[in-house]
């Protein structure tokens, strides 16, 4: 009798758990798994939409060959400049957000107000708003024009790198707008570091510079990795991304193939980030 009651309780708990996760499972299958599978299916077909139906003609890997080999302009003309631009934006965002998070962790009047000010752009800025700001030239720093940075870039930097650097500088203020979430993560990570360690460091006569390099930075390594992952995914999927804009065409088969190629590129970056973090974490594990 007791065993039967225990079995019934276990069944009821499983049923309750299944009911709780059922909305998420339904949403994942309908809004994630099905579109993913459908786009992969279309990438191997020539899709033609008529008034009464959608016709699919199987063409195998033709779209992939067209994008990767035959017509490289579909991908490479936009991809390489964007990768150079991202290689400059990612460290800027990480360093800036870490610097601001450490400042916001200090005790000073109006600290809560400044935390809100730094996070508000994350709430208000959407893809269209950011694009409009960039189009109006509101994202650039006036000091760049004063110091004639563009002129020196054109004169002394190879063209393949000068253009991405100029683009980053023309939207430098907006790049810093992307740092709101990263600041929040660094701030939460900084507050997890025990105050007793800093107190012991001060008693031993350690200065702020040594405290930062010996205690704060090693303690924030997991959060640096988390922010690196977030920044990579955020930059590669932002609506103003040139590759994403190329995916939105009426040629559904070619666009689907381009989306899957781009997904594999993002996945490669994420795996490289994981590898980098595992190496850094392993080298620092003996020092903690």
């Amino acid at each position: 009798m007791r065993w039967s009651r225990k079995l019934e309780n276990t069944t009821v708990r499983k049923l309750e758990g299944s009911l709780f996760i059922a909305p998420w499972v339904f949403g994942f299958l309908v809004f994630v798994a099905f579109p993913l599978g459908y786009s992969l299916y279309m990438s191997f077909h020539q899709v033609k939409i008529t008034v009464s139906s959608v016709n699919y003609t199987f063409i195998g890997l033709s779209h992939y060959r067209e994008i990767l080999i035959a017509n490289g302009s579909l991908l490479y003309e936009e991809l390489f400049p964007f990768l150079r631009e991202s290689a400059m934006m990612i460290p800027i965002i990480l360093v800036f957000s870490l610097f601001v998070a450490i400042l916001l962790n200090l005790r000073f009047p109006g600290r809560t107000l400044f935390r809100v000010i730094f996070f508000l752009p994350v709430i208000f800025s959407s893809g269209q708003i950011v694009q409009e700001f960039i189009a109006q030239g509101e994202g650039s720093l006036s000091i760049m024009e004063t110091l004639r940075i563009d002129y020196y870039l054109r004169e002394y930097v190879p063209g393949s790198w000068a253009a991405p650097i100029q683009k980053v500088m023309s939207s430098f203020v907006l790049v810093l707008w992307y740092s709101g979430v990263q600041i929040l993560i660094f701030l939460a990570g900084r507050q997890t570091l025990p105050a007793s360690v800093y107190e012991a460091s001060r008693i031993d006569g350690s200065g702020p510079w040594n405290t930062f390099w010996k205690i704060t930075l090693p303690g924030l390594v997991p959060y640096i990795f988390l922010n690196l992952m977030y920044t990579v995914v955020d930059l590669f999927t932002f609506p103003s991304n040139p590759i994403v804009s190329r995916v939105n065409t009426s040629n559904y088969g070619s666009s689907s193939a381009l989306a899957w190629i781009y997904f594999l590129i993002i996945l490669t970056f994420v795996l490289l980030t994981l590898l980098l973090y595992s190496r850094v974490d392993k080298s620092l594990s003996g020092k903690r």
Side-chain angles (χ1 to χ4, degrees), residues 38-158:
Y38 190 50
S39 69
L40 184 63
Y41 173 79
M42 285 196 297
S43 70
F44 297 110
H45 292 76
Q46 188 68 44
V47 183
K48 186 177 181 180
I49 299 178
T50 63
V51 177
S52 57
S53 64
V54 181
N55 299 321
Y56 303 95
T57 305
F58 182 75
I59 57 173
L61 297 173
S62 296
H63 286 312
Y64 292 93
R65 279 197 296 268
E66 178 75 12
I67 294 169
L68 294 173
I69 301 172
N71 187 7
S73 62
L74 285 172
L75 177 65
Y76 302 127
E77 283 187 359
E78 301 286 354
L79 179 65
F80 290 131
F82 174 69
L83 291 179
R84 295 190 193 101
E85 188 181 330
S86 299
M88 290 177 283
M89 290 173 67
I90 289 172
I92 291 173
I93 292 173
L94 289 180
V95 172
F96 174 77
S97 55
L98 176 61
F99 177 70
V100 173
I102 290 174
L103 289 181
L104 291 179
N105 190 58
L106 301 176
R107 295 184 181 280
F108 58 88
R111 182 175 64 170
T112 304
L113 176 63
F114 279 98
R115 289 180 177 180
V116 173
I117 289 173
F118 275 101
F119 192 72
L120 274 179
V122 179
I123 301 173
F124 291 123
S125 62
S126 66
Q128 293 301 325
I129 293 175
V130 170
Q131 283 182 332
E132 188 61 29
F133 271 117
I134 294 174
Q136 294 180 7
E138 299 296 335
S140 61
L141 296 175
S142 58
I143 192 173
M144 302 297 177
E145 298 178 1
T146 305
L147 298 178
R148 301 179 65 196
I149 300 294
D150 287 348
Y151 168 77
Y152 292 112
L153 284 174
R154 287 193 299 270
E155 288 293 321
Y156 300 106
V157 179

Side-chain angles (χ1 to χ4, degrees), residues 14 22 75 124 176 218 220 283:
K14 288 181 179 178
L75 177 65
F124 291 123
L176 304 183
L220 290 178
S283 64

Side-chain angles (χ1 to χ4, degrees), residues 14-276:
K14 288 181 179 178
L15 184 60
E16 288 175 346
S18 301
L19 287 176
F20 274 114
I21 66 170
W24 182 87
V25 173
F26 176 79
F28 176 78
L29 292 176
V30 173
F31 299 111
V32 178
F34 175 73
L36 279 176
Y38 190 50
S39 69
L40 184 63
Y41 173 79
M42 285 196 297
S43 70
F44 297 110
H45 292 76
Q46 188 68 44
V47 183
K48 186 177 181 180
I49 299 178
T50 63
V51 177
S52 57
S53 64
V54 181
N55 299 321
Y56 303 95
T57 305
F58 182 75
I59 57 173
L61 297 173
S62 296
H63 286 312
Y64 292 93
R65 279 197 296 268
E66 178 75 12
I67 294 169
L68 294 173
I69 301 172
N71 187 7
S73 62
L74 285 172
L75 177 65
Y76 302 127
E77 283 187 359
E78 301 286 354
L79 179 65
F80 290 131
F82 174 69
L83 291 179
R84 295 190 193 101
E85 188 181 330
S86 299
M88 290 177 283
M89 290 173 67
I90 289 172
I92 291 173
I93 292 173
L94 289 180
V95 172
F96 174 77
S97 55
L98 176 61
F99 177 70
V100 173
I102 290 174
L103 289 181
L104 291 179
N105 190 58
L106 301 176
R107 295 184 181 280
F108 58 88
R111 182 175 64 170
T112 304
L113 176 63
F114 279 98
R115 289 180 177 180
V116 173
I117 289 173
F118 275 101
F119 192 72
L120 274 179
V122 179
I123 301 173
F124 291 123
S125 62
S126 66
Q128 293 301 325
I129 293 175
V130 170
Q131 283 182 332
E132 188 61 29
F133 271 117
I134 294 174
Q136 294 180 7
E138 299 296 335
S140 61
L141 296 175
S142 58
I143 192 173
M144 302 297 177
E145 298 178 1
T146 305
L147 298 178
R148 301 179 65 196
I149 300 294
D150 287 348
Y151 168 77
Y152 292 112
L153 284 174
R154 287 193 299 270
E155 288 293 321
Y156 300 106
V157 179
S160 59
W161 279 97
I165 292 174
Q166 284 177 317
K167 191 171 182 181
V168 170
M169 288 184 171
S170 66
S171 57
F172 198 83
V173 174
L174 300 179
V175 167
L176 304 183
W177 275 33
Y178 298 152
S179 308
V181 174
Q182 290 87 335
I183 291 172
L184 199 64
I185 293 173
F186 276 134
L187 189 60
R190 171 62 184 83
Q191 292 177 354
T192 61
L193 301 180
S196 58
V197 177
Y198 287 92
E199 185 67 24
S201 174
R202 280 195 294 271
I203 292 173
D204 290 339
S206 178
W209 187 250
N210 284 332
T211 302
F212 173 77
W213 284 105
K214 301 295 183 182
I215 298 176
T216 305
L217 195 59
L220 290 178
V221 166
Y223 301 94
I224 294 173
F225 163 72
L226 178 61
N227 273 334
L228 180 60
M229 293 281 286
Y230 176 84
T231 307
V232 168
V233 175
D234 189 36
L235 283 178
F236 277 66
T237 58
F238 203 71
S240 62
N241 185 308
I243 310 298
V244 174
S245 63
R246 290 219 169 199
V247 171
N248 298 323
T249 65
S250 57
N251 188 343
Y252 295 105
S254 177
S255 294
S256 299
L258 180 60
W260 274 96
I261 292 170
Y262 189 55
F263 166 73
L264 292 176
I265 293 172
I266 297 175
L267 185 62
T268 303
F269 270 82
V270 171
L271 293 176
L272 288 175
T273 305
L274 284 171
L275 179 64
L276 177 66

